[in-house]
């Protein structure tokens, strides 16, 4: 281990265990578990509404707090999946298949013990792996200069638009382009030129991407779920089983847990494929490996271990693109990127070069988060805390709306932001309904300013010549990747037609 | 072109990466009052309530608009008076915390 890494690691441990960072870490994990366990909230809304609250904090404290919520919510979402057959988020959707049958068989505490242990151990294993690969990631990231960063932002938006297209590639690209377009409103980032302001001062600062995030995630989701009368919860009459037996089951299936966690990490590192994908793939992989296919879906603990360790493994993987290149792979990491930006921290080469201790602080804080998850999960959630899953949706809606609105106005004191959350709430609802990718829109908005700034700087460096974007091997590879990602769906479609 | 726009073009298939709950994928809860893809009356009412809340916040400040919004929400969604009172108190405490802890500019609007 090189001296710079050792120094950064020691500093990172100091950051995590200093006050108030450690208190925020504990608060983040606990609130993440609660938010994840309440169907209809989850990590995205939880992180979105708490993002403005982090303004008074330092960048490290804010990021530690938000990643703790993210990690806690990944575990918390399994509580409702196991007990009431409704996942807090789709990242725990596969946990329903074997978790809920265990509850109906009187083994709810076994399932909750498995969920806490598999989440924590899976998360910790992958975080240690992330720590080990960080020097390699650092050496790659430091090769990137301004033109490369511009190409990476475009590649990120296009990858999200194409890979994660919920409806179609064209819709995905349109959503990403819309995100980029709305961020051009206001004063240009490199020249003091007002654009699309209609001569009103209110638009001079442009749209707040935090207001856009809160609109498309929090407000849109509240409008969507207000329809559900009586909430999604059904009564949980009695919890049977043993938490310790669940822990023993997980530990005795250590290889399965590690395998699933790394599947989650690998999938999480791909832009566009988060916990919602990884838990199903790990689960399906385990069914294929298993000899007794029929037992899966009927309360097989191995199925639950596979799903639970993979979704927490996803957290480590999803940090790789966001820390390395500022490309979030999921809504939660998009919000995390928002936190980086509002605290003046640029993810990417600068972060690894100047603030390696912050990267390690995030890794260390997530390892500590996993310890807290296992303690909280076994001591509090399994015996008592399951009640949070029974909270009715109708009580959540006004509180989330109020929190989102208060957070928005606190951030910039700009009345335009109030209009933004409402308009983007409706836009988000319509986009979801018509299969337009919301994450592509968000990524376009979050990366819009960085993309434009790096484009302008690159063109200044090259005296206006676009050849700077193909002037070295790395730039050529990135440009080829952009074209490849765009062309791939067309080639895929043509090959399917030829086969048909 | 129409097919390209409407069909899934995801390189790894159509992967809904949203981390929100897609309730179509889970067991249908009781009391869903609108078909997926349709706008229900409750959704319209909530949108109007949020619009009114934000407009009132602009006019008199969010500190005063917040309890009004929650009370109207309680009336619109036929909550009991105890539930409405509890929610209003919770929301008002949140607004107060934002005012004193974060020094949020919510105590006044353009009229007040």
């Amino acid at each position: 281990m090189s001296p710079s890494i050792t120094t950064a690691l020691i500093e990172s441990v100091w950051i995590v265990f200093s006050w108030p960072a450690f208190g925020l870490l504990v608060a983040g994990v606990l609130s993440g578990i609660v938010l994840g366990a309440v169907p209809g909230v989850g990590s995205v809304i939880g992180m979105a509404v708490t993002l403005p609250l982090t303004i008074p904090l330092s960048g490290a404290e804010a990021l530690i707090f938000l990643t703790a919520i993210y990690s806690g919510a990944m575990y918390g979402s399994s509580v409702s999946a196991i007990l009431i057959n409704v996942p807090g988020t789709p990242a725990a959707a596969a946990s329903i298949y074997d978790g809920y049958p265990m509850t109906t068989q009187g083994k709810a505490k076994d399932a909750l013990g498995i969920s806490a242990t598999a989440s924590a151990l899976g998360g910790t294993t992958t975080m240690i792996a992330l720590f080990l690969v960080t020097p390699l990631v650092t050496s790659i990231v430091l090769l990137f200069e301004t033109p490369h960063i511009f190409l990476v932002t475009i590649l990120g938006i296009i990858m999200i638009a194409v890979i994660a297209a919920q409806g179609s590639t064209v819709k995905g690209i349109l959503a990403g382009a819309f995100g980029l377009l709305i961020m051009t409103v206001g004063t240009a980032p490199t020249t003091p030129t007002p654009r699309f302001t209609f001569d009103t001062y209110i638009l001079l600062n442009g749209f707040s991407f935090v207001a856009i995030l809160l609109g498309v995630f929090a407000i849109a989701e509240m409008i969507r779920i207000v329809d559900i009368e009586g909430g999604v919860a059904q009564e949980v009459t009695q919890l049977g089983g043993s938490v310790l037996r669940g822990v023993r089951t997980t530990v005795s299936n250590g290889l399965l847990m590690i395998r699933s966690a790394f599947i989650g990490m690998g999938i999480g590192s791909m832009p566009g494929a988060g916990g919602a994908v990884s838990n199903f793939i790990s689960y399906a992989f385990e069914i294929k490996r298993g000899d007794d296919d029929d037992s899966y879906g009927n309360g097989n603990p191995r199925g639950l271990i596979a799903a639970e360790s993979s979704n927490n493994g996803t957290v480590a993987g999803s940090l790789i693109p966001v820390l390395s290149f500022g490309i979030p792979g999921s809504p939660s990491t998009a919000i995390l990127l928002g936190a980086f930006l509002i605290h003046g921290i640029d993810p990417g080469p600068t972060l690894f070069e100047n603030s390696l201790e912050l990267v390690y602080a995030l890794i260390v804080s997530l390892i500590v988060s996993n310890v807290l998850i296992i303690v909280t999960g076994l001591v509090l959630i399994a015996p008592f805390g399951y009640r949070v899953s029974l909270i009715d949706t109708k009580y959540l809606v006004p509180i989330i709306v109020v929190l989102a609105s208060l957070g928005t106005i606190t951030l910039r004191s700009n009345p335009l932001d109030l209009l933004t959350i409402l308009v983007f709430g409706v836009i988000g609802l319509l986009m979801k309904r018509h299969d337009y990718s919301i994450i592509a829109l968000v990524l376009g908005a979050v990366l819009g300013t960085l993309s434009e700034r790096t484009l302008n700087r690159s063109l200044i460096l090259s005296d206006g010549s676009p050849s700077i974007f193909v002037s070295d091997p790395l730039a050529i590879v990135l440009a080829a990747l952009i074209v490849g990602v765009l062309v791939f769906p067309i080639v895929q479609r043509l090959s399917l037609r030829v086969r048909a | 072109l129409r097919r390209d726009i409407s069909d899934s073009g995801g390189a790894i298939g159509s992967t809904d990466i949203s981390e929100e709950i897609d309730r179509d994928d889970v067991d249908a809860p009781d009391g869903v009052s609108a078909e997926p893809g349709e706008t229900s009356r409750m959704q319209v009412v909530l949108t109007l309530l949020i619009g009114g809340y934000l407009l009132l916040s602009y006019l008199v400040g969010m500190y005063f608009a917040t309890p009004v919004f929650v009370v109207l929400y309680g009336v619109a969604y036929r909550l009991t008076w105890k539930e409405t009172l509890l929610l209003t108190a919770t929301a008002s405490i949140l607004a107060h915390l934002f005012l004193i802890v974060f020094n949020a500019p919510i105590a006044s609007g353009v009229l007040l």
Side-chain angles (χ1 to χ4, degrees):
Chain A
M1 198 182 288
S2 77
S4 61
I5 292 176
T6 313
T7 313
L9 186 59
I10 293 167
E11 274 185 53
S12 69
V13 174
W14 177 253
I15 291 171
V16 173
F17 287 97
S18 63
W19 189 261
F22 187 72
L24 289 163
L25 172 60
V26 176
V29 170
L30 294 178
S31 49
I33 292 173
V34 171
L35 292 167
V38 180
V41 184
S43 62
V44 179
I45 295 176
M47 290 172 76
V49 295
T50 48
L51 177 61
L53 308 184
T54 65
I55 293 298
L57 306 175
S58 71
E61 290 163 356
L63 293 171
I64 286 170
F65 179 59
L66 289 170
T67 47
I69 292 179
Y70 182 22
S71 181
M74 280 288 179
Y75 159 67
S77 60
S78 67
V79 176
S80 54
I82 289 167
L83 296 177
I84 58 172
N85 207 22
V86 177
T89 69
S95 302
I96 283 178
Y97 297 138
D98 287 299
Y100 187 64
M102 287 179 79
T103 299
T104 57
Q105 292 161 12
K107 297 177 191 166
K109 286 186 179 174
D110 289 56
L112 290 169
I114 288 173
S115 158
T117 316
S119 296
L121 295 182
T124 305
T125 310
T126 48
M127 277 301 153
I128 292 168
L130 177 60
F131 170 73
L132 295 175
V133 300
T134 303
L136 175 68
V137 173
T138 308
S139 56
I140 295 170
V141 168
L142 291 178
L143 298 172
F144 284 69
E145 293 171 2
T146 307
H148 306 128
I149 295 170
F150 168 71
L151 290 169
V152 166
T153 59
I154 299 300
L155 178 64
I157 294 167
I158 289 176
M159 276 183 84
I160 289 282
V162 172
I163 292 177
Q166 291 172 34
S168 77
T169 305
V170 175
K171 285 181 175 178
I173 292 170
L174 279 176
F178 179 51
L180 280 174
L181 184 69
I182 50 182
M183 292 315 280
T184 60
V185 174
T187 311
T190 47
T191 54
T193 314
R195 300 172 305 189
F196 313 119
T197 57
F198 304 100
D199 293 330
T200 56
Y201 75 92
I202 208 166
L203 284 167
L204 271 179
N205 287 329
F207 288 103
S208 156
F209 65 77
V210 177
I212 294 171
L213 283 173
L214 285 165
V216 294
F217 290 135
I219 300 295
E221 187 65 4
M222 290 305 106
I223 295 173
R224 197 169 73 89
I225 67 171
V226 74
D227 220 13
I228 299 166
E229 290 172 5
V232 292
Q234 299 150 12
E235 279 300 319
V236 179
T237 49
Q238 198 176 359
L239 296 186
S242 156
V243 175
L244 284 178
R245 194 167 56 207
V247 176
R248 279 198 297 270
T249 307
T250 312
V251 175
S252 63
N253 285 286
L255 273 179
L256 156 65
M257 186 269 298
I258 291 171
R259 187 168 57 236
S260 305
F262 280 106
I263 290 175
M265 185 180 181
I267 292 168
S269 63
M270 292 164 59
V277 180
S278 71
N279 73 125
F280 280 107
I281 291 182
S282 288
Y283 187 75
F285 185 77
E286 213 41 54
I287 291 176
K288 279 187 184 168
R289 275 182 57 89
D291 299 328
D292 49 349
D293 296 10
D294 293 341
S295 68
Y296 287 93
N298 292 309
N300 187 335
R302 291 175 64 85
L304 185 58
I305 294 169
E308 280 305 302
S309 42
S310 72
N311 64 21
N312 273 64
T314 308
V315 176
S318 67
L319 286 178
I320 296 174
V322 80
L323 292 173
S324 317
F325 303 111
I327 307 294
S330 64
S332 296
T333 44
I335 296 166
L336 199 61
L337 178 63
F340 272 101
L341 299 179
I342 62 175
H343 286 280
I345 305 166
D346 276 337
T350 328
L351 180 68
F352 282 82
E353 202 165 29
N354 302 331
S355 309
L356 190 59
E357 72 284 355
L358 183 58
V359 176
Y360 284 147
L362 283 181
I363 295 172
V364 172
S365 73
L366 281 164
I367 291 173
V368 179
S369 296
N370 286 311
V371 175
L372 291 171
I373 283 172
I374 199 165
V375 173
T376 313
L378 298 181
V379 177
L380 291 176
I381 296 294
F384 315 108
Y386 64 88
R387 291 177 192 280
V388 293
S389 293
L390 306 177
I391 294 174
D392 198 322
T393 310
K394 68 185 176 192
Y395 304 128
L396 296 172
V397 172
I399 301 300
I400 298 289
V401 170
V402 166
L403 270 175
S405 309
L406 287 167
T408 304
I409 199 70
T410 304
L411 204 61
R412 292 203 314 177
S413 311
N414 188 339
L416 172 70
D417 296 347
L418 295 179
L419 190 60
T420 305
I421 58 165
L422 178 63
V423 171
F424 277 88
V426 176
I427 288 175
L429 187 71
L430 294 175
M431 286 179 73
K432 193 165 181 67
R433 191 173 284 178
H434 296 284
D435 289 333
Y436 282 85
S437 169
I438 290 178
I439 181 67
L441 161 73
V442 167
L443 197 56
V446 172
L447 293 178
T449 308
L450 176 67
S451 176
E452 191 180 350
R453 204 171 57 210
T454 48
L455 171 67
N456 285 347
R457 277 188 197 160
S458 304
L459 291 176
I460 290 168
L461 287 171
S462 67
D463 289 328
S465 166
S467 63
I468 194 168
F469 299 115
V470 283
S471 61
D472 61 75
L474 182 57
I476 292 169
V477 168
L478 290 169
L481 276 172
I482 291 171
V483 175
V485 171
L486 277 173
V487 170
F488 181 79
I490 299 167
V491 174
Q492 193 184 32
R493 181 181 296 280
L494 284 175
S495 70
L496 282 174
R497 274 185 204 161
V498 168
R499 272 187 223 163
Chain B
L1 180 64
R2 184 181 298 157
R3 191 163 50 231
D4 282 340
I5 290 172
S6 60
D7 289 356
S8 171
I12 55 171
S14 182
T15 54
D16 184 354
I17 63 156
S18 166
E19 291 179 14
E20 306 144 47
I21 299 175
D22 194 339
R23 293 187 196 284
D24 303 341
D25 294 342
V26 297
D27 287 354
D30 297 334
V32 175
S33 56
E35 291 296 316
E38 286 179 10
T39 305
S40 71
R41 181 189 146 274
M42 293 168 89
Q43 288 176 325
V44 174
V45 170
L46 180 63
T47 308
L48 292 174
L49 273 177
I50 296 172
Y53 170 46
L54 298 176
L55 179 65
L56 193 64
S57 299
Y58 177 66
L59 296 174
V60 300
M62 204 169 273
Y63 193 73
F64 303 105
T66 294
V68 176
F69 164 68
V70 183
V71 167
L72 288 177
Y73 175 88
V75 172
Y77 292 93
R78 294 182 185 146
L79 303 182
T80 65
W81 70 268
K82 281 183 184 172
E83 290 169 339
T84 306
L85 191 68
L86 192 66
L87 281 176
T88 308
T90 309
S92 300
I93 290 168
L94 284 172
H96 191 66
L97 285 175
F98 268 78
L99 183 70
I100 57 171
V101 178
F102 300 107
N103 204 18
I106 56 171
S108 61
V110 290
L111 299 181
L112 200 69

